[in-house]
């Protein structure tokens, strides 16, 4: 089974101080040691998860010509549809074997950010698609808020340290379809080895083999969640902020054995981003003689732009 530790968010929310401290200790240790954790007790209901999978399967089975109408030029794939093979991992030329959709932030009470972010794209053919996507986005964002509160306490910060930075943050919900493989791929995998850009990622759909994490010994280990769990990992922004105290771990989605090439795989990561102005300067309490500062000062917006260029999603 998976070598990834499991935690339950209900302990943090229980009102029992001992359970709350247990959760903080366990998730802090997991993120320092391997950068991944399987989390239960989140805010997604079974019914909402089922509805989302139903809707995204309907979308990805639409005719290609219809899906292509939702690929919006000039926004680096930040909203709407991105077609098969467009995205590649940093340092690779081969496109990943996937197509995906992006739901973005639903801004509240902030006209400046509303004008800064691209608008979400409405799928006319599927009347429930956008409503289900928005509800899922909000429930994952709520889950992420409490995870970050626990991490703030682990880092000896105020519990609400991240709250103002993630409210109306530039987060993304990405339903991914890995289509059936019809011929031997040349150097391409479903998702090549990479680290995530953002603060933390909450992943739905890690219930079977495919997702692998590189541990500190350089070995690939399977990351398999139970059906009621989300797989959560540290992104590069949080790693920078904590001077690599919390580890952004390299991970990949490998191609299945040949006998399973004919099957689709779906996974749905939620990339928790802060507002662009958030400074990612290494926290003072994560820097000392034994752990000198490893990263230059940068804002979240500047860092995101750099990485989107490296991924081939926007041009210089």
């Amino acid at each position: 089974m998976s070598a990834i530790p499991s935690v339950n968010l209900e302990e943090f929310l229980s009102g029992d101080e001992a359970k709350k401290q247990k959760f903080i200790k366990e998730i802090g240790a997991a993120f320092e040691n391997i950068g991944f954790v399987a989390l239960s007790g989140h805010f997604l209901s079974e019914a909402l998860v089922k509805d989302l999978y139903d809707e995204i399967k309907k979308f990805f089975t639409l005719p290609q010509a219809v899906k292509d109408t939702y690929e919006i030029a000039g926004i680096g794939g930040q909203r709407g549809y991105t077609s098969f093979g467009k995205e590649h991992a940093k340092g690779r030329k081969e496109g990943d074997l996937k197509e995906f959709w992006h739901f973005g932030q639903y801004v509240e009470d902030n006209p400046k950010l509303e004008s800064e972010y691209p608008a979400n794209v409405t799928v006319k053919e599927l009347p429930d698609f956008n409503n289900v996507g928005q509800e899922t986005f909000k429930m994952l964002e709520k889950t992420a808020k409490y995870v970050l509160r626990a991490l703030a306490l682990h880092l000896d910060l105020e519990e609400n340290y991240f709250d103002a930075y993630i409210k109306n943050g530039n987060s993304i919900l990405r339903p991914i379809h890995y289509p059936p493989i019809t011929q031997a791929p040349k150097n391409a995998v479903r998702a090549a080895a990479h680290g995530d850009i953002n603060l933390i990622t909450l992943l739905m759909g890690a219930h079977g083999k495919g997702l692998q994490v590189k541990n500190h010994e350089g070995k690939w280990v399977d990351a398999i969640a139970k059906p009621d769990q989300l797989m959560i990992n540290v992104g590069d922004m949080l790693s920078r902020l904590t001077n690599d105290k919390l580890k952004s771990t390299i991970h990949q989605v490998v191609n299945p054995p040949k006998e399973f090439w004919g099957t689709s795989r779906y996974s749905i990561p939620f990339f928790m981003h802060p507002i662009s102005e958030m400074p990612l300067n290494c926290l003072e309490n994560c820097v000392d003689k034994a752990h000198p500062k490893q990263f230059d000062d940068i804002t979240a917006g500047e860092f995101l732009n750099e990485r989107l260029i490296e991924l081939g999603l926007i041009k210089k």
Side-chain angles (χ1 to χ4, degrees), residues 9 55 78 83 105 109 122 160 175 211 242 297:
L9 186 60
E55 290 301 314
Q78 290 180 74
S83 52
Q105 182 61 265
D109 305 321
T122 300
N160 297 340
L211 177 64
T242 64
D297 293 350

Side-chain angles (χ1 to χ4, degrees), residues 152-164:
L153 292 169
H154 174 70
L155 296 165
D156 296 321
L157 302 170
E158 290 287 329
E159 182 171 343
N160 297 340
Y161 175 86
F162 291 99
D163 283 19

Side-chain angles (χ1 to χ4, degrees), residues 151-219:
L151 293 176
L153 292 169
H154 174 70
L155 296 165
D156 296 321
L157 302 170
E158 290 287 329
E159 182 171 343
N160 297 340
Y161 175 86
F162 291 99
D163 283 19
Y165 293 126
I166 62 173
K167 180 176 172 56
N168 289 325
N170 196 13
S171 298
I172 291 285
L173 177 64
R174 173 190 278 194
I176 303 172
H177 175 223
Y178 303 103
I181 297 170
T182 55
Q183 59 187 31
K186 292 183 180 177
N187 299 321
V189 293
R190 283 182 159 175
H194 65 282
D196 291 342
I197 301 170
N198 42 292
L199 289 171
I200 55 174
T201 300
L202 289 71
L203 176 67
M204 304 165 61
H207 305 151
K209 284 198 171 185
L211 177 64
Q212 295 184 332
V213 177
K214 186 179 273 191
N215 67 16
H216 291 353
E217 288 75 51
K219 294 177 181 173

Side-chain angles (χ1 to χ4, degrees), residues 71-262:
E71 190 153 18
I72 312 299
I75 61 169
Q78 290 180 74
R79 300 291 185 274
Y81 177 63
T82 296
S83 52
F84 184 81
K86 276 272 176 79
E87 186 180 68
H88 59 78
K90 179 181 174 181
R92 286 180 69 103
K93 292 180 180 174
E94 298 85 11
D96 289 343
L97 305 178
K98 66 189 181 193
E99 56 180 345
F100 54 88
W101 180 272
H102 274 165
F103 297 100
Q105 182 61 265
Y106 299 87
V107 177
E108 297 171 355
D109 305 321
N110 193 321
K112 176 181 174 291
L113 283 180
E114 202 161 358
S115 64
E116 183 181 313
Y117 297 157
N120 275 299
V121 178
T122 300
V123 177
K124 300 187 292 289
E125 292 79 3
L126 302 172
D128 297 326
F129 181 84
N130 290 85
N131 289 337
V132 171
Q134 180 174 2
E135 180 64 14
T136 306
F137 186 105
K138 289 299 181 187
M139 290 302 102
L140 288 168
E141 186 175 52
K142 185 178 179 181
T143 301
K145 177 176 74 174
Y146 287 106
V147 169
L148 286 172
R149 285 184 179 180
L151 293 176
L153 292 169
H154 174 70
L155 296 165
D156 296 321
L157 302 170
E158 290 287 329
E159 182 171 343
N160 297 340
Y161 175 86
F162 291 99
D163 283 19
Y165 293 126
I166 62 173
K167 180 176 172 56
N168 289 325
N170 196 13
S171 298
I172 291 285
L173 177 64
R174 173 190 278 194
I176 303 172
H177 175 223
Y178 303 103
I181 297 170
T182 55
Q183 59 187 31
K186 292 183 180 177
N187 299 321
V189 293
R190 283 182 159 175
H194 65 282
D196 291 342
I197 301 170
N198 42 292
L199 289 171
I200 55 174
T201 300
L202 289 71
L203 176 67
M204 304 165 61
H207 305 151
K209 284 198 171 185
L211 177 64
Q212 295 184 332
V213 177
K214 186 179 273 191
N215 67 16
H216 291 353
E217 288 75 51
K219 294 177 181 173
W220 289 104
V221 298
D222 290 326
I224 304 172
K226 294 175 183 174
D228 67 334
Q229 290 178 322
L230 299 171
M231 196 65 75
I232 304 186
N233 64 278
V234 176
D236 291 347
M237 288 184 182
L238 189 57
S239 178
R240 288 184 78 105
L241 183 71
T242 64
N243 199 35
D244 208 29
K245 180 182 176 76
L246 305 183
K247 301 287 189 289
S248 177
T249 309
I250 298 297
H251 52 285
Q252 63 184 5
V253 179
V254 296
N255 298 332
K258 194 166 184 177
E259 60 265 29
F260 296 112
W261 278 11

Side-chain angles (χ1 to χ4, degrees), residues 19-66:
K19 287 182 179 178
K20 183 175 182 179
Q21 291 303 322
K22 176 176 176 280
F23 179 87
I24 294 165
K25 183 178 179 182
E26 288 177 352
I27 198 168
F31 282 171
E32 287 190 26
N33 293 329
I34 196 164
F36 270 73
V37 74
L39 179 126
S40 56
H42 49 75
F43 293 100
L44 285 180
S45 68
E46 282 184 38
L48 182 57
V49 172
K50 180 184 181 301
D51 287 348
L52 182 65
Y53 275 105
D54 287 348
E55 290 301 314
I56 68 167
K57 287 175 182 177
K58 287 178 196 171
F59 175 79
F60 287 121
T61 54
L62 289 171
Q64 190 62 45
V66 174

